[in-house]
Amino acid sequence: MNTLFLKPASPDDKKTIDKAADIIKSGGVVAIPTETVYGLAANALCPEAVKKIFIAKGRPQDNPLIVHISRFDEIYPLVKDVPEKAIKLAEKFWPGPLTVILPKADVIPDVVTCGQKTVAVRMPSHKIASAIIRASGVPLAAPSANISGRPSPTTAEHVLHDLDGKIDAIVDGGECDVGVESTVITLCTPVPRLLRPGGITLEQLRETIGDVEADRAIYDPLPEGVKPSSPGMKYKHYSPEAKVVILKGALEGFIDYVNKNGDDTSAVLCFEGEEKYFSGTVLTYGKKDDPSSQAHEIFNKLRLADEKKIKKVFARCPSESGVGMAVYNRLLRAAAFTVEEV
Ligand code: AMP
Ligand code: MG
């Protein structure tokens, strides 16, 4: 398949937006920029189109997709009920990097939810994403536009690297702002539960709707045989080819460890300003006290490690508060939970 590369001059570039929407309307799959990461979008109401997403990504058949809308009232036909808490969250955080899980309506095909009775819904704030949803005239099912298991794509080049020849088109909207996937919260549990941390923090959710519990799978590998609340949480995820080791502790201990254990096939993943302490390959991911800047860079730098044919990455451990929770969660999975105290 020849993958069309589309670059809108702006979100008002109607000709390019319409071209992407036409492909979606005729049952194709198109990678689109969002404020979180690039998404691989298809008509959420068309099972044949949605199946193509799973095939292109090599996505496990039991990992459900998020459905994207462009206006709040588009949620009503997709779910059985819109509770007060969903309205409060939407008023505060939509459009934006928050996904809400609610009981699904019959119109949502089983292939989208992998047979579950709930559906994940989000309203992205990226102007191009929003314009493409509107021009398509249907909700769009869209997981991250990477090969399953690889770091999520935050540029059109990342998407090309993984999916060129496997999808109908890519819309280039430049670098994604947030850099990690949306926060996922379910309102289908007795107490609302955070399933995946992201750009909207646990603290912000609690300020808006009161009690929210954090799922244990955010920080811990699931024990054998335990069913995850969110199927996406059971997979090793976001991983470069390189083995990632998270080193937890002060900078001095990190420097010592790397100097003892590093070689010319390894790389250091540290914070800006710390480069001077290391020789060899040094990658930085944001500023130490600015988790949003870390989120913005993390996937990009994990991909860069592969480009440089690095075998082992020694990563500085981010702080776990605020958006740091999302950064730590992604890094833990990239490292398959390998953490060493230094
Ligand atoms: P991605 O589209 O790659 O960002 O992945 C979507 C995430 O949302 C995955 O972790 C899914 O497991 C999760 N998700 C989507 N739909 C549901 C659902 N109905 N219930 C629980 N988790 C869901
Ligand atoms: Mg994904």
Side-chain angles (χ1 to χ4, degrees), residues 38-278:
Y38 274 72
L40 184 57
N43 177 354
L45 306 181
C46 172
E48 292 314 313
V50 173
K51 277 181 199 152
K52 293 180 188 168
I53 295 177
F54 284 86
I55 294 167
K57 280 181 58 85
R59 185 168 174 103
Q61 300 276 338
D62 61 352
N63 194 1
L65 309 181
I66 296 171
V67 175
H68 295 71
I69 58 177
S70 64
R71 280 202 336 253
F72 181 74
D73 56 7
E74 291 166 3
I75 195 175
Y76 287 101
L78 308 180
V79 300
K80 284 238 158 75
D81 176 41
V82 181
E84 188 58 34
K85 284 181 182 169
I87 294 172
K88 279 194 176 152
L89 289 171
E91 277 173 355
K92 192 87 180 261
F93 303 115
W94 280 4
L98 177 70
T99 296
V100 179
I101 295 178
L102 292 167
K104 90 175 190 72
D106 294 341
V107 71
I108 301 285
D110 279 342
V111 60
V112 170
T113 64
C114 300
Q116 299 201 78
K117 301 225 171 318
T118 56
V119 63
V121 185
R122 177 166 106 82
M123 180 158 81
S125 65
H126 196 292
K127 292 213 163 55
I128 292 175
S130 190
I132 293 173
I133 301 169
R134 240 175 294 121
S136 303
V138 287
L140 302 186
S144 51
N146 53 330
I147 294 289
S148 270
R150 299 252 314 134
S152 295
T154 58
T155 66
E157 289 70 33
H158 295 161
V159 180
L160 261 183
H161 179 276
D162 280 18
L163 298 175
D164 193 15
K166 295 184 169 157
I167 59 177
D168 295 292
I170 296 175
V171 180
D172 185 357
E175 247 182 59
C176 299
D177 245 18
V178 179
V180 294
E181 304 83 349
S182 58
T183 301
V184 178
I185 185 172
T186 179
L187 297 180
C188 300
T189 41
V191 176
R193 185 181 298 165
L194 175 68
L195 300 183
R196 179 173 72 184
I200 304 297
T201 65
L202 182 58
E203 296 79 3
Q204 286 176 299
L205 295 171
R206 286 178 174 155
E207 272 165 29
T208 310
I209 56 166
D211 238 10
V212 176
E213 54 191 30
D215 199 279
R216 59 189 280 203
I218 291 171
Y219 285 139
D220 296 318
L222 280 169
E224 199 77 35
V226 171
K227 189 174 176 289
S229 336
S230 177
M233 297 202 288
K234 71 183 167 186
Y235 297 106
K236 182 182 171 198
H237 233 107
Y238 319 122
S239 323
E241 298 291 327
K243 182 175 166 41
V244 179
V245 180
I246 302 171
L247 301 179
K248 208 173 200 166
L251 179 61
E252 294 70 31
F254 183 88
I255 296 170
D256 269 2
Y257 187 101
V258 170
N259 287 338
K260 282 199 191 98
N261 295 281
D263 59 29
D264 54 9
T265 66
S266 62
V268 169
L269 182 62
C270 60
F271 300 123
E272 282 167 27
E274 298 173 350
E275 303 92 314
K276 56 180 179 276
Y277 301 112
F278 309 100

